[in-house]
Amino acid sequence: MKSAPATDVDPRIARTRGLVIGATAELLVEQGFERVTIEAIAERSGVARSTIYRNWPDRADLFVAGFERLCAFGEIPDLGSLTAELRVLGEELATGLASAAWGQALPSLIGAAAHDPALVVAQRSLSDRSRRLVASVFRRAAARGEISRDADPGELAELFAAGFFFRKLMSHAPIDEAFVERQIARVVRTATN
């Protein structure tokens, strides 16, 4: 049986789902993935636990929906230059990892995924989506002739993002403007050689 398109969802159901996802997002930032419970989500949202379980039988799906609410990433605009587009992306990553809600919740997602196979799948899905977004910048650069058409956009996306996430999660070194510029230069050098 096929589910109804999102536009056919009863407004009351959409409102309830929105309340639950919003409460989940808030709690993920405040408490982390491992400490958030369905009971806490029910209390915060004002929605009955039974309704939450009916809509999200797998709590990992609810947690992903909450985390996605925090990650309002959009397409990087075509600025006509790989460097300009990477600068926009780098600034968004730097700001997000330092101070956005998703940057605050990210370490707990990674920690919880180490013990929860459902969250590993969810984390991989989120990562793949982000990777495709960054790879689109490199695809455009290849189409403009700025980098080789043989360059792998996915690998370049990983190379660009890796330094940001390493600094956030491992070294705790600052992700400042100087770092962003160095990361852009490294990746552009790699992409054009």
Side-chain angles (χ1 to χ4, degrees), residues 103-181:
Q104 294 171 28
L106 181 66
S108 73
L109 168 59
I110 293 169
H115 310 289
D116 186 336
L119 282 176
V120 169
V121 171
Q123 180 186 352
R124 189 170 296 132
S125 172
L126 291 166
S127 177
D128 288 347
R129 197 168 327 134
S130 298
R131 183 177 188 252
R132 283 191 301 274
L133 180 71
V134 178
S136 70
V137 169
F138 292 102
R139 275 191 213 86
R140 282 197 303 255
R144 289 190 297 255
E146 290 181 271
I147 64 174
S148 168
R149 290 189 185 275
D150 295 332
D152 184 326
E155 286 183 13
L156 290 170
E158 288 177 4
L159 179 64
F160 181 70
F164 290 88
F165 289 96
F166 182 83
R167 282 184 169 236
K168 167 69 177 183
L169 300 169
M170 300 299 290
S171 74
H172 305 286
I175 306 173
D176 55 16
E177 186 178 334
F179 170 78
V180 172
E181 291 301 322

Side-chain angles (χ1 to χ4, degrees), residues 2-185:
K2 224 177 187 180
S3 61
T7 56
D8 293 343
V9 173
D10 182 308
R12 293 171 297 181
I13 294 171
R15 181 182 171 282
T16 298
R17 287 180 182 164
L19 288 170
V20 171
I21 292 170
T24 303
E26 291 170 4
L27 289 166
L28 289 174
V29 172
E30 294 169 15
Q31 299 178 9
F33 279 76
E34 292 180 327
R35 290 185 296 280
V36 174
T37 64
I38 297 299
E39 290 75 18
I41 295 168
E43 185 177 322
R44 175 75 57 100
S45 67
V47 175
R49 284 181 13 208
S50 59
T51 300
I52 295 171
Y53 283 118
R54 188 169 45 255
N55 283 278
W56 292 278
D58 182 347
R59 86 181 191 129
D61 291 337
L62 175 55
F63 286 6
V64 168
F67 192 74
E68 286 176 335
R69 168 81 55 100
L70 301 173
C71 301
F73 299 123
E75 292 292 319
I76 304 302
D78 186 342
L79 300 174
S81 156
L82 175 61
T83 301
E85 291 171 17
L86 288 177
R87 188 167 292 115
V88 168
L89 183 59
E91 290 169 0
E92 285 183 12
L93 272 171
T95 301
L97 286 167
S99 60
W102 68 267
Q104 294 171 28
L106 181 66
S108 73
L109 168 59
I110 293 169
H115 310 289
D116 186 336
L119 282 176
V120 169
V121 171
Q123 180 186 352
R124 189 170 296 132
S125 172
L126 291 166
S127 177
D128 288 347
R129 197 168 327 134
S130 298
R131 183 177 188 252
R132 283 191 301 274
L133 180 71
V134 178
S136 70
V137 169
F138 292 102
R139 275 191 213 86
R140 282 197 303 255
R144 289 190 297 255
E146 290 181 271
I147 64 174
S148 168
R149 290 189 185 275
D150 295 332
D152 184 326
E155 286 183 13
L156 290 170
E158 288 177 4
L159 179 64
F160 181 70
F164 290 88
F165 289 96
F166 182 83
R167 282 184 169 236
K168 167 69 177 183
L169 300 169
M170 300 299 290
S171 74
H172 305 286
I175 306 173
D176 55 16
E177 186 178 334
F179 170 78
V180 172
E181 291 301 322
R182 285 192 310 273
Q183 192 65 358
I184 291 168

